[in-house]
Amino acid sequence: QLRLLLVCSDELTRQMKGLTVNSEHERYDAVCHCRYVDEVVENAPWVVTPEFLEKHQVQLTSLALDTFPAPMCVHHFLLPTD
């Protein structure tokens, strides 16, 4: 089971959330060394669509809600496997 971590670009993060402490390249570098991350998806979308999930063969998503201001809508998709 492959564990993906999605990292948004600086431009998108500033637009949606505000200023960042680290640059996107520093964030990519930091998370690629995490023991529970198998692959980092750079320049990820802010909203994950079913098409994105299918393209990357994602079966389950999760999000740490405490990092976002309320209200925040979180969707969990479970795609059928062959």
Side-chain angles (χ1 to χ4, degrees), residues 1-2 6-7 10 13 15 19 21 23-25 36 38 41 49-50 52 54 63 67-68 71 73 75 82:
Q1 203 174 38
L2 187 65
L6 285 66
V7 179
D10 284 344
T13 303
Q15 178 185 8
L19 295 176
V21 175
S23 73
E24 64 189 273
H25 299 292
Y36 300 107
D38 296 315
V41 178
T49 63
F52 180 89
E54 187 172 344
L63 177 65
T67 62
F68 294 92
C73 184
H75 298 280
D82 294 337

Side-chain angles (χ1 to χ4, degrees), residues 43-58:
N43 199 23
W46 192 261
V47 176
V48 178
T49 63
E51 293 80 21
F52 180 89
L53 297 175
E54 187 172 344
K55 176 184 175 184
H56 292 279
Q57 300 178 1
V58 174

Side-chain angles (χ1 to χ4, degrees), residues 62-78:
S62 62
L63 177 65
L65 286 176
D66 60 339
T67 62
F68 294 92
M72 183 61 154
C73 184
V74 177
H75 298 280
H76 295 271
F77 296 92
L78 189 58

Side-chain angles (χ1 to χ4, degrees), residues 21-40:
V21 175
N22 298 47
S23 73
E24 64 189 273
H25 299 292
E26 291 170 328
R27 294 193 311 275
Y28 299 150
D29 187 52
V31 298
C32 77
H33 298 290
C34 290
R35 142 182 188 185
Y36 300 107
V37 174
D38 296 315
E39 185 177 330
V40 176

